[in-house]
Amino acid sequence: MKLKIVVTDCSWENIDVERKYLPQNAIVEGYQCKTEEEVIEVCKDADAVLSEYAPLTRKVLESLNKCKIISNTAIGTDNIDVNAASEMGIAVANVPGYCVNEVADHTMALILSSSRNIVKFDREVRKQKWDIAEGYSLKRLDGQTLGLVGFGEIARQVATRAQSFGMNVLAYDPYVKQELASSYNVKLVELKKLLAESDIISSHLPLNNSTFKFFNKDKFSKMEKRPLFVNTSRGGVVDENDLIEAIETGVLSGAALDVLADEPPCFSNKIFKLDNV
């Protein structure tokens, strides 16, 4: 009997690459599933599953009678109930190196765009406003302290890029030893110290039970230097209501966000009305 592999969803227009590299004698089917019911319907007789964002919850996994492995085509596995999969003997794999350089580049792009007021300048010039006073709030990166919360592969590449701009880099990660951080010229510190001393704070946390809404009112209140907050990890690691309050009250100078708690978002969300986001 042929092996059946189901691609639940992907960001590209087709799964030609997957079909090229997966076993040629396997049945490979591709879908764009968004709900639990859709995943259950297409994967109920699958031997293996490739996923990206599709929900692979306990409810879904209990319906996959033949599945032996789920591979996420990303670094994160927050769309998969890994504990449930383990209980059911389903292996879970990811791609640790997925887009490491791209996300590191994007983190620096967000830092630069915010620190140099690129978006604001563009908006003002398009309104035919040409005023040097708009530039008085520009911030030189050289000499600023960047705090990286999480020091995985992406954060390490961000550190290298930030140092080329003359930034000092701190990191918090309870799973990393100072010896490794030192090889990137980065100092590991306690979270409280990072929050207090950083001019820019960048999140590189995976999303799981221990990091859900990790950045909340309590954490923001410990950010003493009115930092810029950057998130290129997962939207769920931030309590967005607390983030909005921190920005409105001046606890943060602004935020640069690649991800939100809900995607696609509700555009009535107050976060879209804040000019310094």
Side-chain angles (χ1 to χ4, degrees):
M1 196 168 183
K2 285 189 174 183
L3 185 72
K4 182 174 180 179
I5 304 170
V6 174
V7 182
T8 59
D9 59 313
C10 68
S11 295
W12 323 114
E13 294 181 356
N14 58 62
I15 58 168
D16 290 348
V17 172
E18 286 81 354
R19 284 200 170 102
K20 179 179 179 180
Y21 290 101
L22 289 169
Q24 294 301 298
N25 61 345
I27 299 170
V28 180
E29 298 178 355
Y31 301 90
Q32 290 291 4
C33 300
K34 297 185 182 298
T35 67
E36 292 176 316
E37 290 70 26
E38 289 173 336
V39 177
I40 291 171
E41 178 61 30
V42 301
C43 294
K44 57 190 176 185
D45 59 346
D47 298 285
V49 173
L50 268 72
S51 61
E52 186 176 13
Y53 300 112
L56 287 147
T57 61
R58 179 177 291 274
K59 174 184 174 181
V60 171
L61 298 180
E62 288 174 346
S63 301
L64 308 187
N65 300 320
K66 295 177 61 182
C67 187
K68 296 295 184 290
I69 184 169
I70 299 167
S71 184
N72 230 31
T73 56
I75 296 176
T77 56
D78 45 281
N79 60 309
I80 304 169
D81 189 329
V82 178
N83 290 332
S86 180
E87 291 173 19
M88 298 172 198
I90 301 174
V92 176
N94 66 338
V95 186
Y98 176 75
C99 280
V100 166
N101 285 317
E102 287 75 15
V103 179
D105 288 349
H106 200 63
T107 302
M108 289 307 302
L110 289 172
I111 290 172
L112 284 162
S113 294
S114 299
S115 298
R116 305 304 299 175
N117 276 353
I118 299 298
V119 175
K120 185 175 182 181
F121 281 143
D122 180 71
R123 289 171 179 165
E124 294 299 318
V125 172
R126 289 178 186 275
K127 290 188 289 187
Q128 300 182 16
K129 185 176 180 180
W130 192 271
D131 185 359
I132 193 172
E134 294 292 338
Y136 292 161
S137 62
L138 292 182
K139 295 181 179 179
R140 177 183 295 153
L141 291 185
D142 184 37
Q144 289 199 55
T145 296
L146 171 64
L148 303 172
V149 182
F151 197 59
E153 291 292 341
I154 292 171
R156 296 166 199 171
Q157 294 306 315
V158 171
T160 300
R161 287 156 172 75
Q163 287 161 356
S164 71
F165 284 91
M167 301 187 76
N168 306 308
V169 183
L170 303 177
Y172 165 76
D173 193 320
Y175 301 101
V176 172
K177 294 183 178 180
Q178 181 58 57
E179 182 180 13
L180 172 62
S182 295
S183 68
Y184 289 89
N185 201 28
V186 170
K187 183 179 180 181
L188 282 181
V189 296
E190 293 298 319
L191 181 63
K192 183 178 179 180
K193 181 178 177 67
L194 183 147
L195 298 178
E197 297 184 4
S198 298
D199 299 288
I200 299 171
I201 295 174
S202 184
S203 172
H204 299 278
L205 295 173
L207 178 59
N208 53 44
N209 290 337
S210 66
T211 62
F212 180 66
K213 294 190 176 181
F214 181 89
F215 290 99
N216 52 28
K217 189 170 186 175
D218 177 62
K219 302 291 195 320
F220 292 131
S221 70
K222 293 179 172 62
M223 299 179 182
E224 298 181 8
K225 298 176 75 173
R226 294 188 67 248
L228 170 71
F229 178 74
V230 182
N231 187 12
T232 55
S233 55
R234 289 290 187 270
V237 305
V238 180
D239 185 315
E240 283 185 3
N241 289 328
D242 289 355
L243 173 65
I244 291 168
E245 181 181 344
I247 293 167
E248 289 183 323
T249 58
V251 172
L252 297 176
S253 63
L257 310 173
D258 181 50
V259 287
L260 293 169
D262 296 315
E263 298 177 2
C266 174
F267 286 103
S268 62
N269 187 333
K270 196 172 185 179
I271 203 144
F272 292 105
K273 296 177 175 64
L274 300 174
D275 288 338
N276 54 343
V277 176

